[in-house]
Amino acid sequence: MAQFDDIRFFNDAEVNIALQSAVRHPMIKTLFQYTFPDMPYEKVKEIVLSCKSINDFQRDVIRQSVMRILKESSSGLTTSGFENLEKDQPYLYISNHRDIILDTCLLNVKLFDHDLIRTASAIGDNLVQRPFVNALSKLTRNFIVKRGVGPRETLLSSKKLSEYIRTLLQEENRSVWIAQRQGRTKDGNDITEQGVLKMIGLASGNMPVHEYLNSLKIVPVSISYEYDPTDILKVPELLAKAAEEEYIKSENEDFNSILKGALGQKRHIHIAAGKPQLFNNESAAGTNQVLQQVVSQLDDTIQSNYKLWPTNYVAYDLVSNKKKYSEYYTDQDLAYFKRRLRLRVNVEDEKAVESFLMMYARPVFNKEKLAVVDEA
């Protein structure tokens, strides 16, 4: 595994050494104090330093952190589909991506609850520039995806990443999580990037790509938040994209999104696990055509399994200037959403309003489109 040292997470022998440093870092100390608010910090340190593996740390500390986040900033987390998965089988979870940290944290809490193999999770190197964030990511079984490099290094790092994912799944018996696209979905449109699948397929060797993808046991995952705490933070990037302008992130933008996503109000949350996918190539298509078919299959499953909330229906009716889905929300739901819109967006800016509304409305449009296809 030495060839993966620059992207891998900590092995168990490194965990306690890293934790001894972590308990002294002021930011990580704040996280631990948040997790155990009524406990003297010396006692908290005892709990943290008793962890000898990533499993220990996830079970005894991080799971408690996530449960407190859920208690204080949500109306609960529900799931579907996990009962169809096998307990000792590693899966490649390909998921829509709405929150930088919470998506994988919540998934792993539910994998723990269902006694399923927890994931190693892909994270962009741009998100772990701060040393304490990098340490925490390695302590929670995140591996690095290198971004912003030249074409040659991109190819080399993609090959290494692909081989690492294969090694985790087929040699280490470790499930893997990866987002369906690079970065979070900002506009509410959960679309798989073919490049993600192309990268995964680089480790297929002489095996036909559809057979290799089948061997990885791909499970599509759909996570939906009734309210996105970072919705307003996404609008400037959407406006820049609409104006065909380059969007440059501020220095602390990703870190602020992490904090806002964790602590901001989300109301209800749902995670849906699809069934392990099977891909065929009956028409003997080339690799590119096969990957296009896989993208379409994943998109259909992720979008159809996405749980819609009153916020999605309200936003659809507002952006469409209709009352098509009024039976799915109350007057109170409508008033609350309108108030949120007024507080977060300049309502005189039509493009900003539309960007904000489409963030929530797009999943409804996607389901309508799927329904039309199914009827055809």
Side-chain angles (χ1 to χ4, degrees):
M1 295 285 280
Q3 70 267 37
F4 305 122
D5 278 353
D6 60 328
I7 62 171
R8 68 171 177 85
F9 46 87
F10 288 136
N11 60 49
D12 285 345
E14 297 166 328
V15 167
N16 198 256
I17 297 171
L19 288 174
Q20 289 179 39
S21 174
V23 294
R24 297 193 299 269
H25 193 285
M27 294 296 289
I28 299 180
K29 180 178 177 181
T30 299
L31 169 64
F32 293 157
Q33 289 174 320
Y34 171 84
T35 304
F36 303 103
D38 301 319
M39 193 178 291
Y41 192 60
E42 286 304 311
K43 178 63 176 175
V44 174
K45 284 171 63 177
E46 284 183 28
I47 294 173
V48 173
L49 294 178
S50 70
C51 298
K52 307 300 181 185
S53 66
I54 288 180
N55 278 337
D56 291 346
F57 184 62
Q58 286 190 312
R59 181 192 64 232
D60 297 341
V61 181
I62 296 301
R63 187 172 187 275
Q64 309 309 314
S65 305
V66 175
M67 297 310 291
R68 181 152 190 232
I69 287 171
L70 286 173
K71 180 180 179 181
E72 296 201 343
S73 68
S74 83
S75 299
L77 169 62
T78 55
T79 62
S80 58
F82 289 94
E83 66 278 3
N84 298 320
L85 303 179
E86 298 177 21
K87 292 186 176 181
D88 297 321
Q89 173 67 54
Y91 294 101
L92 173 55
Y93 296 97
I94 297 184
S95 176
N96 67 335
H97 190 22
R98 297 305 180 91
D99 186 273
I100 293 173
I101 297 297
L102 270 190
D103 291 355
T104 53
C105 287
L106 295 174
L107 173 63
N108 277 292
V109 162
K110 286 305 171 183
L111 294 178
F112 181 89
D113 290 347
H114 286 85
D115 198 23
L116 294 163
I117 297 173
R118 278 165 281 173
T119 68
S121 303
I123 189 169
D125 59 0
N126 58 302
L127 301 174
V128 293
Q129 296 301 309
R130 298 186 180 206
F132 81 92
V133 177
N134 189 33
L136 272 178
S137 72
K138 291 183 177 182
L139 283 165
T140 49
R141 209 178 273 119
N142 288 278
F143 58 90
I144 299 298
V145 178
K146 294 185 178 181
R147 293 180 178 160
V149 295
R152 175 175 168 75
E153 189 174 347
T154 295
L155 178 59
L156 293 174
S157 65
S158 294
K159 287 181 177 179
K160 178 184 288 189
L161 185 61
S162 180
E163 185 60 31
Y164 186 52
I165 290 171
R166 186 203 65 77
T167 300
L168 289 169
L169 287 162
Q170 299 187 339
E171 296 181 22
E172 301 293 322
N173 203 46
R174 171 61 54 194
S175 289
V176 171
W177 177 96
I178 192 166
Q180 66 180 156
R181 47 166 291 156
Q182 180 176 304
R184 291 168 294 153
T185 300
K186 307 291 198 312
D187 60 2
N189 196 18
D190 296 315
I191 298 294
T192 305
E193 289 181 352
Q194 188 170 324
V196 172
L197 294 168
K198 184 178 180 180
M199 177 277 293
I200 293 169
L202 289 174
S204 61
N206 295 324
M207 187 183 296
V209 68
H210 74 283
E211 291 183 14
Y212 177 66
L213 294 177
N214 285 339
S215 76
L216 300 182
K217 308 290 185 184
I218 293 176
V219 172
V221 173
S222 310
I223 184 164
S224 62
Y225 300 85
E226 185 172 5
Y227 277 101
D228 179 354
T230 65
D231 49 17
I232 187 57
L233 301 180
K234 297 175 179 178
V235 170
E237 185 172 347
L238 292 172
L239 292 176
K241 183 178 179 181
E244 299 183 346
E245 297 173 355
E246 181 182 6
Y247 179 74
I248 301 175
K249 289 183 179 181
S250 62
E251 182 179 354
N252 295 315
E253 186 168 329
D254 287 328
F255 186 65
N256 289 337
S257 292
I258 290 172
L259 292 178
K260 190 79 171 176
L263 303 177
Q265 179 57 234
K266 293 162 275 289
R267 287 204 175 179
H268 297 92
I269 310 165
H270 187 81
I271 305 176
K275 293 181 179 179
Q277 301 291 287
L278 282 177
F279 310 107
N280 61 61
N281 187 17
E282 295 175 354
S283 60
T287 297
N288 193 53
Q289 288 74 27
V290 169
L291 292 180
Q292 288 174 2
Q293 294 169 14
V294 173
V295 164
S296 179
Q297 188 169 323
L298 290 176
D299 286 351
D300 287 355
T301 305
I302 289 171
Q303 292 174 15
S304 63
N305 286 346
Y306 187 97
K307 183 173 178 61
L308 297 174
W309 304 106
T311 49
N312 303 115
Y313 294 116
V314 167
Y316 179 101
D317 280 358
L318 289 175
V319 79
S320 306
N321 197 26
K322 299 176 181 178
K323 293 186 177 180
K324 183 175 181 178
Y325 291 106
S326 59
E327 65 183 289
Y328 294 102
Y329 56 85
T330 65
D331 290 342
Q332 185 178 8
D333 292 328
L334 177 61
Y336 190 93
F337 190 90
K338 283 183 173 180
R339 180 175 181 273
R340 184 184 183 91
L341 177 63
R342 289 195 305 271
L343 291 174
R344 296 193 162 216
V345 179
N346 176 9
V347 293
E348 303 299 321
D349 186 335
E350 292 183 5
K351 289 186 178 179
V353 170
E354 182 180 7
S355 294
F356 187 91
L357 291 176
M358 285 303 296
M359 221 182 287
Y360 288 94
R362 178 62 68 183
V364 185
F365 283 100
N366 284 343
K367 281 187 182 278
E368 286 188 337
K369 192 182 300 182
L370 287 172
V372 170
V373 171
D374 289 342
E375 291 173 2

